[in-house]
Structures are given as structure tokens and as C-alpha cells.
Amino acid sequence: MSLISLARRGRVVAVLAGALLLVPVLAEARPGGGKGGFGSRGSRTESAPARTNTAPNGAQPFQRSATPSPTQAAPAAGAAAAAQAARPSMARNLMMGLGAGLLGAGLFGMLSGAGFFSGLASLAGMFGFLLQLALIGGAIWLALRFFRRRAEPQLAGAGAPMPREMYQPQPDARMGAMGGGAGRPAATPQTAPIELSGEDFSTFERLLGEINTAYSNEDEKGLRDRVTPEMFGYFDEDLSGNARKGLVDRVSDVKLVQGDLSEAWREGDLDYATVAMRFSLINALYERATGKVVDGNATVPQEVTEHWTFLRPRGGAWKLSGIQQAA
């Protein structure tokens, strides 16, 4: 097989790989679907919910949360700084690699007796080579941007940044000073178990349906009224991503099949309740322009099991503060 034939095949493979990386990734369907877990459980965010009959294997840990544990805060900051410092060296290494490739192609041309740049011309042509570099570079840039956004979610509404308001108790600065200065983590807030009523459980079931309906209708006000600002930020991020891709996520026929309480406790002026719920629903992702189903099933119900955590200020209304998939 000739060198030109091999080069042409290599060019086709590179272009196809770049095209595949440039294809937008489909958003996960339904609120919280397939994301493992996101949100907060107050001081218990880093601990697993108690197992129940509905979810005997427990819950997956949070992948995204605005309340990292104190022991994780410093390493996370260090990792971010290291990543920032590594970016120039990564770019420099990439440019050095590309330069080495160009130099090698030129030397190949010289050794073959056809001139310094003839190696590029004989393999695929200068234009084709630059096109491949542009495609691969663009694909790498988009992939890095995508994963960075997944790792660092930004809470936004209507295209403008939204403050990270949290229904979380703020640690007393005096405790840090008494404990030896700001370098030491604040003490864990005191918690106490609480009893829930039948009305509370009816509220949780109602919110399960209302939140799914608001998400399906892209009803921002309906979501804001029923979830914490942190959870609204995650939902709004998903809905905005769907809109940019020309997709819409529809959820209907949400029915609670089985549910039981995992934990309920008081933390400062807030009440928390984590409930394991197994429910059925119809869910599909559609092309916004054509109505074509691109993911999920528009007619067949599916059953899922999740842990939903709710919180309320003393005397206030329950709101969703976290979702975790069953383990």
C-alpha cells in the first residue's frame, strides 16, 4: 500500500474522529436522571443516607454540591491552582508536538530529495494537513470546555449569573477563632432527629409530581418556588443546555409506587428529610423543531428509585435540596 493511500486513510480517520467529538452530547433526560447525585443535605452531604426497604442498597454520593466538606475544601483549591498552573505547560507541549510533526514532515521531504515541504505535499497536502489540525484542535478545545463546565457548574438564569444563595447554616466565625484560627475547619453543626407527619409525606409526593411537571414545561418560576437556589441552578443549567442543542425534555404521568423515610433531622433553624422514592414516569427527549424523539420513550413508562432530600426553615415550606440515584 502506498504512502499516499495510507495518508488518505489517516486523514479520513482524523476527520471522522474530530466530527464525532464535535457532535453535541445529548442531555440527560428528566430532573436528575442519570447524574448520580447533586444538591445538598446540610452537614450530612458527605454521608450516605440510611438504607430503607425502598432503596436497600442506599444511594450514590453527590457528584455536584455547593457544600463540600471542610477536609475537601483545601485540596480542591490546591487542585484548581495546580490545574491553572498546568494549562500553559499543556499548551506549550501541544505546540511543541505540532512543531515536531511539521519538522519531521519537512525532514522526510528533504531526505526523499524533493524539498523541505514536499513531505507534506506528498502525504496529504498542506491544506488537508492544516484542516486536520484545525478539526482536532477544535474538538479538543470543545471537549475540555465541556468537561470543565461539568466539573464546575455555574448557576445562571436568563443568561446572567445568579448568586449562590443557600439555605445552609453559616458557621459562626467566632468558633473558628476560638478553635485556633481560620486555618481549622469549623465545628460540625449539631443535629437532632425530628418526627414527621402524614401531611409532610403528602407534601413530598406532591412536590415529586410538581417539580417534574415544572421541569418538563421549562417553568422557571415553578421550579424556583419548589427547590432551593442551588437545585434551581442545576436544573436551569440542564434546561439551557437542552435549548442550545434544540432539544426539549418532556416528563409526564409521574406516579409514586413506594416510598419511605430514610432520615429526618433538625440542624440549626432548618429541618431536613431524605426520602427514598420509587416512582414511574414517561420521559423522552425531543427535537424542539420537529418533535422527533431522540432519547427515551414517549409511550412506555419507566420506574426509577431515587433519594430526594427536602428542607424547610422553621415554620416554612418544604423545598427540594438534593437528588441522589439509588446505588
Side-chain angles (χ1 to χ4, degrees):
M1 186 177 295
S2 67
L3 288 176
I4 294 178
S5 178
L6 284 173
R8 286 175 178 170
R9 291 194 177 188
R11 182 172 59 181
V12 170
V13 171
V15 172
L16 288 177
L20 288 174
L21 286 173
L22 290 170
V23 173
V25 179
L26 292 182
E28 298 285 358
R30 70 184 172 80
K35 294 184 178 65
F38 59 97
S40 304
R41 296 202 319 131
S43 64
R44 302 188 183 185
T45 297
E46 300 297 325
S47 62
R51 300 172 184 238
T52 70
N53 291 331
T54 301
N57 295 324
Q60 297 182 29
F62 287 109
Q63 272 71 51
R64 297 190 292 175
S65 177
T67 56
S69 65
T71 57
Q72 289 181 330
Q84 183 69 24
R87 286 189 188 114
S89 62
M90 289 175 62
R92 183 172 60 252
N93 291 339
L94 178 59
M95 294 304 297
M96 289 176 63
L98 292 177
L102 288 169
L103 179 61
L107 290 175
F108 175 83
M110 290 183 67
L111 291 174
S112 64
F116 188 81
F117 286 103
S118 63
L120 287 175
S122 61
L123 288 176
M126 178 65 77
F127 179 79
F129 181 76
L130 293 177
L131 178 60
Q132 293 175 41
L133 290 182
L135 284 173
I136 295 173
I140 292 173
W141 178 80
L142 286 177
L144 289 175
R145 184 167 178 244
F146 171 77
F147 286 114
R148 190 180 301 119
R149 288 194 60 192
R150 296 277 291 188
E152 301 175 358
Q154 298 179 354
L155 307 189
M162 189 180 97
R164 277 184 184 268
E165 305 164 357
M166 285 295 302
Y167 287 96
Q168 301 294 340
Q170 299 299 317
D172 192 339
R174 294 172 298 175
M175 295 178 62
M178 294 173 61
R184 297 185 59 182
T188 303
Q190 295 295 318
T191 65
I194 59 174
E195 295 291 332
L196 300 182
S197 66
E199 182 179 355
D200 294 321
F201 291 104
S202 297
T203 299
F204 300 153
E205 182 176 0
R206 174 177 56 80
L207 287 173
L208 172 69
E210 290 178 352
I211 291 170
N212 274 281
T213 298
Y215 184 91
S216 177
N217 294 336
E218 300 178 329
D219 177 7
E220 291 191 355
K221 183 181 184 305
L223 287 173
R224 285 184 188 274
D225 292 343
R226 294 168 176 84
V227 306
T228 63
E230 179 187 6
M231 291 299 289
F232 175 79
Y234 297 137
F235 289 152
D236 186 58
E237 180 184 354
D238 290 342
L239 294 175
S240 298
N242 286 344
R244 287 193 298 269
K245 298 179 180 74
L247 304 173
V248 59
D249 193 355
R250 297 299 186 201
V251 184
S252 62
D253 294 341
V254 179
K255 298 176 182 177
L256 181 65
V257 177
Q258 179 180 343
D260 48 19
L261 178 67
S262 173
E263 298 172 336
W265 71 98
R266 178 161 294 152
E267 188 173 309
D269 292 329
L270 297 174
D271 292 340
Y272 286 87
T274 297
V275 184
M277 295 189 286
R278 179 162 59 91
F279 55 97
S280 65
L281 75 166
I282 294 177
N283 178 220
L285 200 61
Y286 297 82
E287 284 185 352
R288 194 176 294 266
T290 65
K292 177 183 176 182
V293 175
V294 296
D295 191 20
N297 194 302
T299 57
V300 179
Q302 58 174 306
E303 274 196 6
V304 296
T305 301
E306 297 175 337
H307 288 75
W308 283 37
T309 296
F310 301 89
L311 68 77
R312 66 180 175 189
R314 193 77 62 89
W318 288 107
K319 292 193 174 187
L320 177 68
S321 71
I323 295 178
Q324 294 168 272
Q325 308 299 311

